[in-house]
Every structure is written in structure tokens, then in C-alpha cells.
Amino acid sequence: MDNESSMLKSKTPIKATFENTKTAPSSPNFNLKMDEKLNTSAIDKNLEENKSASKNHNFLMETLPEDKDIIGLKYWKGQDVTHKKLESNFSLGTVKSSTKTVKIECRDFGLVDGDRIQIFLNNTIVSANIGLKGNYFVVYLNLEEGYNRIDFQALNQGYSGPNTAEMIVYDANGNIISSKEWHLSTGETATLGIIKK
């Protein structure tokens, strides 16, 4: 097909015209006085009241009203990470638990090839060298109030690679609150967050 025949050619040139238009008068209810200062006395008063009310709190607790949902300072690998996103190679999501204790089951869901992991709870090793098999390895964890970080670190990839595992988390009432799988390289970490309500 000829490209020229498929193109439409206009014989009438397009002309743009501009007219002087007046904007409509502003609404009497609409005020654009940008030069007036913001009165911050009410804000300052609120902050002072919250500071004085929080003097008896634990010194590790956040004291500003906008930080009232933070339970305390969080540390990871010896550094303050309260307001930083924690690094992980693979997220297993965040779930909630109404019970203090949870049961975690892990197994190699692929070829049983010698995959090994270690488990951390809030930066503390709870199981250092777990060999994943076809049946489940079981660990019970006691949660702290608020956010709990559980890390599963791959110590190797077995002889077929990668490190493959299935993980199921139960609360103390036997309810499944999470069920996930991962494929990790050696040294990589999969992270699950559990919020104890």
C-alpha cells in the first residue's frame, strides 16, 4: 500500500484565533489572602500539653502525639531503624495475631536436597541451623506486644538450588494466620511481620 495515498491531506489551513476574555468575578465566599500568617498558638498549646503528660513515660517511648502508635525504638543489626524500612530480600507480608505464642512449621516443598535455614525473631537467633526435610520442622515463638519481625535466612541452596521452603504459621488457637513459600539464594532473607494485638 502506498504511504502517500493512506495519508489525509487537508486543503483548508487551520487558523487559531485568540479573544480577550475576562475572568468571572471571584466568589464572595472564596478568600485568597496568602499574606496572612498562620496562627500557631493552638498547635503549640497542644504540643506542650502532650509533652507535659508524657514526662512519666519510659524514656524509650515516643512522646509526640503523632508518634503515639509507635511502641518503642526498633533496632536491627545494632542500628536504630525506628523510622527506616528494614531491608529484606523477600517479603512474606505482615499478619496480626491475638495470641502471644505462634507455631511455625517449615519444610522443603521441592526436592529434598539438603536446604538449611536459620530463624531470627526481632534480631535474635531462635534456631541456628535447621535442615529442611519433607516433613515439617516446628518452632514456637513468644511474641512481644506490637510489631515482631521474623527472618528466615538461607544458609545454603542444597545440591539442586535454590533454597525452597513452605512455611505455615498458626496462632495459639490453631488458626492458620499465614502460609507462604520462598525460593532463596544462599545468604538471602525472607521476612514475615506479625503484629501482636
Side-chain angles (χ1 to χ4, degrees):
M1 179 183 249
D2 186 6
N3 285 338
E4 291 185 10
S5 63
S6 63
M7 296 175 61
L8 296 174
K9 294 184 179 178
S10 174
K11 294 182 181 179
T12 308
I14 298 174
K15 293 183 180 177
T17 59
F18 297 94
E19 296 179 10
N20 289 333
T21 57
K22 293 184 179 178
T23 57
S26 62
S27 170
N29 296 332
F30 192 68
N31 187 355
L32 286 176
K33 293 182 179 177
M34 298 293 189
D35 53 345
E36 292 183 3
K37 285 189 172 181
L38 176 66
N39 184 355
T40 59
S41 61
I43 297 170
D44 293 337
K45 181 181 176 188
N46 187 15
L47 286 174
E48 284 302 317
E49 287 174 359
N50 281 287
K51 282 181 185 176
S52 61
S54 65
K55 284 180 182 175
N56 295 328
H57 289 193
N58 186 316
F59 75 99
L60 289 177
M61 299 300 197
E62 296 290 344
T63 58
L64 294 176
E66 64 267 23
D67 295 327
K68 63 186 177 184
D69 59 327
I70 298 174
I71 288 180
L73 299 178
K74 293 181 174 45
Y75 289 88
W76 177 247
K77 296 184 179 176
Q79 295 181 356
D80 178 10
V81 292
T82 306
H83 300 289
K84 292 181 183 176
K85 185 175 180 181
L86 301 181
E87 293 181 9
S88 180
N89 301 104
F90 188 75
S91 173
L92 300 171
T94 300
V95 296
K96 294 181 181 177
S97 173
S98 58
T99 63
K100 180 175 176 58
T101 305
V102 293
K103 171 184 166 185
I104 298 179
E105 298 180 341
C106 295
R107 73 179 181 99
D108 192 338
F109 72 87
L111 176 67
V112 179
D113 59 347
D115 289 341
R116 305 193 77 76
I117 63 168
Q118 59 184 352
I119 301 176
F120 296 81
L121 172 62
N122 298 325
N123 198 26
T124 302
I125 294 179
V126 291
S127 293
N129 194 357
I130 303 166
L132 297 176
K133 302 188 179 343
N135 55 343
Y136 286 101
F137 172 85
V138 178
V139 62
Y140 291 88
L141 300 178
N142 290 321
L143 304 176
E144 299 175 1
E145 285 294 321
Y147 181 79
N148 294 267
R149 176 179 169 134
I150 303 170
D151 291 287
F152 304 87
Q153 185 178 41
L155 298 176
N156 69 356
Q157 297 183 68
Y159 59 79
S160 71
N163 186 302
T164 55
E166 176 189 21
M167 172 213 65
I168 303 174
V169 183
Y170 300 86
D171 65 13
N173 300 320
N175 301 313
I176 295 177
I177 57 176
S178 182
S179 178
K180 301 285 182 176
E181 297 176 352
W182 69 71
H183 301 76
L184 300 175
S185 299
T186 301
E188 288 186 336
T189 302
T191 303
L192 172 70
I194 301 181
I195 298 174
K196 166 65 175 70
K197 297 187 290 181

